[in-house]
Amino acid sequence: INAEYGDRSCAMPDEGMQQGNSTDLCHNFDNIEELLGAVYPPADEEFLVRQIVEDLSTVIRNIFPTASISIFGSRKTHLHLPTSDIDVTITGLSPVCDTISLFELLSSEFLRQGFSHLHKVINARVPLLKVTEKKYGYRAEITLENVDGNYNTTLILSYLAKYQNYLRPMVVLLKQFLRLRGQHRTYQGGVGSYLLTVMVIAFLKHHRKIQDGDSVSIESLLLDFFELFGRRFDYMNYGISVDRGYFLKDGTYCQEAIGDCLLLVEDPNKPDIDIGSKAFIFHDIKRSWEEAYDSLSKGIPLSHLIPVDDKLYQRIESLSRFIEEYKLKQNTPPPSPVIVFPVVGKAKVSTTSRKGRDTKVRKKSLETENLCPTIPEPITDTYTKSPKNSRRSDQGFKQWWGCLLYT
């Protein structure tokens, strides 16, 4: 582990390898509760995510009016970091167009509606379109007819209910660990969100203390995780399964593997699918986990091993500000309609006596004659004449009423 952790700074491996001695300020915390409080997204972020999904849906339905849009993945299970993408899938599309053509149509419409940083990943196991929303800086990954994503989300939610005290903190902290080292992107050979979550579920399900119902700290579980998957596990001969535990490889998998198929992890929903075969930089990830175990064994605090880098810290601050602005906007009552009339004269207040009592009567007199337009004669004879005992003549009434309207 880089010794710079102790100096409140850490090298970002994905940037450092490309740009030399690139560093990023990191924020350390005294205990894991403070660390989790800093890594977890703001509680009310759901308001912003819901707005972004509505904006995405509007753009998508401009092209596919009958399509269904749903959110899945870590944003649905709340196993995400503040920097995580929003996973969206579109279902109910016509099978006539191929994926590339559909993505071209969507890209053009997203650009027209003000989205940016469009990037198509066609060669992935599940092709996707990445777009960035400008107002809040959210990134979205859009897939087509990805029903497996919805099934996987439902499965993870069931395990969240079972391991509610352990699964979320472990997954979120491990995600931050991998993100700091640039080892979290699936399309770059890293351990992505779903693969990592399945590994943690398998670890918890077959952990002896968890099986016995003993209370275990998150620090202790992470130490065991790093020891098992960083040092002790025999990846060449064994695979990882939620249902079967750690099983002996039999040659059934690895048909689509890149390299030597080091990591084998069964998909819980489709056991014949190996979701670990595309993690072709797992050698580096295994080494990172082994070094993490050595550091924790030597007494280095977990918050120094998994710090909150400045990029994540600034993102959390930005989200908090966006949420406050959103709430303020939602709680502000709409302005009352105001009718503005042009000013054509000045009002004077005079006092007259009526039946022995003094009353104030507001009279409006015009400083210039003929500024108040003459009201045309009414079409019907309902208001053609004033009563005989009226103190105002018809013309005087028109003059008075017209000034009331236009002053």
Side-chain angles (χ1 to χ4, degrees):
I1 298 298
N2 198 321
E4 292 180 345
Y5 280 130
D7 298 328
R8 298 180 63 83
S9 63
C10 60
M12 302 294 285
D14 56 333
E15 298 176 357
M17 290 187 293
Q18 300 174 4
Q19 302 176 8
N21 298 323
S22 175
T23 59
D24 196 4
L25 177 65
C26 292
H27 304 264
N28 297 325
F29 299 89
D30 295 332
N31 53 64
I32 193 170
E33 288 77 16
E34 293 182 359
L35 175 60
L36 287 171
V39 173
Y40 284 160
D44 295 331
E45 188 196 15
E46 188 67 24
F47 294 116
L48 301 182
V49 175
R50 191 181 303 118
Q51 180 63 52
I52 300 306
V53 173
E54 289 178 0
D55 294 342
L56 292 170
S57 301
T58 300
V59 176
I60 293 170
R61 289 198 174 99
N62 286 343
I63 302 179
F64 310 111
T66 61
S68 299
I69 296 94
S70 60
I71 184 173
F72 68 97
S74 61
R75 289 280 177 178
K76 188 70 174 287
T77 59
H78 299 287
L79 296 177
H80 64 286
L81 294 170
T83 56
S84 297
D85 298 338
I86 302 174
D87 296 313
V88 176
T89 186
I90 309 172
T91 56
L93 300 176
S94 172
V96 175
C97 296
D98 61 289
T99 300
I100 297 178
S101 301
L102 293 176
F103 278 168
E104 289 295 336
L105 289 173
L106 287 171
S107 299
S108 301
E109 184 64 17
F110 276 115
L111 285 175
R112 195 175 70 85
Q113 296 295 335
F115 287 78
S116 62
H117 296 92
L118 273 70
H119 177 60
K120 294 182 286 293
V121 184
I122 302 298
N123 296 326
R125 186 172 68 90
V126 180
L128 56 90
L129 173 66
K130 300 172 73 72
V131 300
T132 301
E133 176 270 340
K134 289 184 177 180
K135 185 175 182 180
Y136 303 122
Y138 281 101
R139 297 187 304 270
E141 292 188 352
I142 302 171
T143 56
L144 307 177
E145 305 290 350
N146 186 13
V147 294
D148 290 341
N150 293 326
Y151 294 152
N152 297 340
T153 300
T154 303
L155 175 73
I156 292 174
L157 286 172
S158 67
Y159 281 107
L160 270 170
K162 185 176 182 179
Y163 303 116
Q164 54 184 339
N165 295 328
Y166 304 117
L167 185 55
R168 188 188 183 201
M170 283 195 66
V171 170
V172 171
L173 289 177
L174 287 170
K175 279 188 174 184
Q176 174 65 359
F177 179 93
L178 294 174
R179 192 187 73 83
L180 287 170
R181 293 154 180 80
Q183 299 169 339
H184 63 298
R185 300 182 182 92
T186 301
Y187 60 90
Q188 292 182 348
V191 172
S193 176
Y194 181 59
L195 172 58
L196 178 64
T197 304
V198 171
M199 292 183 70
V200 175
I201 291 173
F203 169 79
L204 291 173
K205 188 173 181 179
H206 302 284
H207 192 282
R208 183 173 301 175
K209 291 184 178 180
I210 300 295
Q211 289 177 336
D212 294 341
D214 298 338
S215 178
V216 191
S217 67
I218 299 299
E219 294 95 329
S220 177
L221 287 174
L222 285 172
L223 181 65
D224 292 345
F225 182 92
F226 289 139
E227 180 185 14
L228 175 61
F229 294 124
R231 171 170 290 191
R232 293 176 51 198
F233 197 84
D234 182 4
Y235 292 98
M236 296 305 299
N237 296 306
Y238 286 86
I240 302 169
S241 170
V242 171
D243 295 326
R244 295 194 286 161
Y246 311 119
F247 62 94
L248 187 66
K249 291 182 180 179
D250 57 4
T252 305
Y253 302 93
C254 303
Q255 290 88 352
E256 300 179 358
I258 299 176
D260 57 4
C261 188
L262 179 63
L263 179 64
L264 192 162
V265 180
E266 280 186 354
D267 188 334
N269 276 321
K270 294 183 177 180
D272 58 329
I273 301 295
D274 173 18
I275 58 176
S277 62
K278 297 296 180 67
F280 54 84
I281 66 168
F282 189 72
H283 288 283
D284 298 329
I285 297 172
K286 178 181 177 297
R287 188 182 307 114
S288 297
W289 288 347
E290 183 177 7
E291 293 173 347
Y293 170 73
D294 293 338
S295 297
L296 291 176
S297 299
K298 294 175 182 178
I300 294 180
L302 181 65
S303 61
H304 287 225
L305 188 67
I306 312 177
V308 177
D309 58 295
D310 200 46
K311 180 180 179 181
L312 181 62
Y313 193 79
Q314 291 179 1
R315 178 59 178 168
I316 294 173
E317 287 188 332
S318 299
L319 288 176
S320 299
R321 186 175 67 254
F322 293 148
I323 291 170
E324 290 301 322
E325 294 174 355
Y326 180 86
K327 286 183 176 180
L328 183 62
K329 182 179 179 181
Q330 296 299 313
N331 293 332
T332 302
S336 301
V338 178
I339 302 176
V340 180
F341 297 105
V343 177
V344 295
K346 294 183 178 180
K348 294 183 180 180
V349 178
S350 62
T351 302
T352 60
S353 177
R354 179 181 298 177
K355 296 183 180 180
R357 293 179 300 172
D358 290 335
T359 58
K360 287 187 177 181
V361 180
R362 181 173 296 272
K363 294 182 179 180
K364 302 194 175 189
S365 61
L366 301 178
E367 294 182 338
T368 307
E369 293 183 356
N370 299 327
L371 288 180
C372 189
T374 303
I375 297 184
E377 292 291 338
I379 298 176
T380 64
D381 56 358
T382 305
Y383 302 102
T384 52
K385 292 185 178 182
S386 301
K388 294 181 179 180
N389 59 352
S390 173
R391 296 186 180 183
R392 296 184 292 268
S393 63
D394 289 345
Q395 186 63 30
F397 174 74
K398 296 172 186 176
Q399 185 82 358
W400 174 82
W401 181 246
C403 291
L404 181 62
L405 288 174
Y406 288 93
T407 59

